[in-house]
Amino acid sequence: MPGSRDLDPSSSPRALLGAELRHAREKAGLSQEELGQRLFVSGSFIGQLEAGTRRLQAEYARLLDEELGAGDFFQRNCGAAAKSKYPEHFAEAAEAEAAAAEIRQFAPLLIPGLLQTPAYARAVFRAYRPTAPEEVIEELVTARMDRARILDDPTSPLLWMVIDEAALRRETGGREIMAGALRHVTALIHRNRIIVQVLPFGAGAHASMEGSMKLMDFEDAPPLLYFEGVGTGRLEDDPATVHHQRRTFQLLTACALSPGGSLALIEDIAQDYGHEEHA
């Protein structure tokens, strides 16, 4: 299992907890697997806490204090590390996403959040929360755009998306917004910043018809898998499940159009939206 990185405890509350957890575990003479067994979690889970890629929940903070003789240190500090601008069901996944070295995602229903424009994101949130105050919608849009700042780095993380053709053709927010959203995706592709493959209607049945998934790999922590539904989400670190879904993603890429063919299709659809918008 990869070792935990040496976190800078001053960089964030989560980094502080990760560094202190590693120190306390090693002082107790326990491996990640041994400590995990005492908490009824995997050694991978402990490694992710130490690497700062997972959030420390209050229930585990209490157990860590007990098992490692840390007084109430972890319980006192886990609240600060848990604060997030993201919805509760997605907060931990968003924070892990920011630390990932590689992200592979299948998006069957909409353009992935990291690739969205503000106008497209606003239309998505308004559809999901039709009665929410405007300031709430704007806070959600701002948080989503903040996530996309990981694309400001020219090389990291590796971002590989398989997008169902249905997500490109479902008119969200109007034709002008769709044209802009798709042009934004193609601009990222032309910058060689992302890899995008479109899963066309002609592919028929495929390996992930039951939903979306996101695989996240880290330089110094075990991988994570994220599943999402309407208002719900779940992180999974079970090695067998991660391995199975990695194979699922490989099958999707085999059925999808090539990156070049995908770019051409997205550009064609964007052009169609633009033409009809001015018709």
Side-chain angles (χ1 to χ4, degrees):
M1 178 181 298
S4 295
R5 60 185 170 186
D6 292 326
L7 294 177
D8 175 6
S10 66
S11 63
S12 70
R14 185 174 296 195
L16 171 66
L17 287 178
E20 289 299 318
L21 173 56
R22 181 183 182 186
H23 173 75
R25 174 182 61 77
E26 291 179 343
K27 184 177 180 181
L30 297 172
S31 68
Q32 292 177 351
E33 289 291 343
E34 289 168 338
L35 180 56
Q37 289 173 2
R38 297 188 180 191
L39 271 64
F40 302 100
V41 298
S42 67
S44 294
F45 183 90
I46 300 299
Q48 289 153 356
L49 290 176
E50 293 183 359
T53 60
R54 289 203 78 152
R55 172 186 298 189
L56 178 61
Q57 304 289 347
E59 60 188 291
Y60 294 118
R62 178 182 59 79
L63 292 172
L64 286 172
D65 282 333
E66 294 175 359
E67 294 294 337
L68 298 176
D72 64 350
F73 173 83
F74 292 106
Q75 292 176 83
R76 284 189 293 105
N77 288 281
C78 74
K83 293 179 180 178
S84 176
K85 57 190 173 184
Y86 301 105
E88 181 62 28
H89 74 276
F90 183 64
E92 192 173 6
E95 292 152 4
E97 179 183 77
E102 299 182 5
I103 300 171
R104 292 169 176 81
Q105 181 176 359
F106 171 56
L109 300 175
L110 73 168
I111 296 172
L114 289 175
L115 309 186
Q116 291 178 8
T117 62
Y120 183 95
R122 190 172 293 110
V124 170
F125 285 126
R126 177 52 70 193
Y128 178 59
R129 301 189 179 191
T131 62
E134 194 62 32
E135 57 268 25
V136 172
I137 298 298
E138 291 306 312
E139 287 174 2
L140 291 168
V141 172
T142 298
R144 180 153 292 184
M145 295 304 103
D146 286 345
R147 280 176 56 210
R149 289 181 181 174
I150 66 174
L151 295 173
D152 291 345
D153 187 298
T155 59
S156 180
L158 168 71
L159 196 60
W160 191 334
M161 304 286 191
V162 176
I163 306 176
D164 197 290
E165 185 175 350
L168 307 177
R169 296 196 181 276
R170 179 174 294 280
E171 186 176 326
T172 302
R175 308 199 71 80
E176 181 178 0
I177 287 175
M178 282 301 300
L182 296 179
R183 288 172 188 145
H184 176 64
V185 173
T186 61
L188 290 170
I189 296 172
H190 281 297
R191 280 171 44 199
N192 300 309
R193 184 59 191 84
I194 60 175
I195 301 170
V196 173
Q197 290 183 259
V198 175
L199 187 65
F201 291 139
H206 58 78
S208 192
M209 295 187 71
E210 294 185 347
S212 64
M213 65 164 167
K214 180 183 293 184
L215 287 159
M216 292 176 281
D217 290 289
F218 307 89
E219 291 183 355
D220 40 26
L224 285 171
L225 173 67
Y226 180 66
F227 297 108
E228 187 172 34
V230 179
T232 63
R234 184 178 96 252
L235 274 176
E236 179 67 65
D237 65 357
D238 173 62
T241 303
V242 172
H243 174 75
H244 175 75
Q245 294 303 325
R246 195 179 299 279
R247 182 174 59 187
T248 297
F249 188 83
Q250 291 170 343
L251 291 171
L252 288 170
T253 62
C255 294
L257 299 176
S258 69
S262 298
L263 173 59
L265 178 59
I266 298 171
E267 288 179 330
D268 286 346
I269 298 173
Q271 189 173 34
D272 289 343
Y273 277 123
H275 282 166
E276 295 189 28
E277 168 199 339
H278 299 295

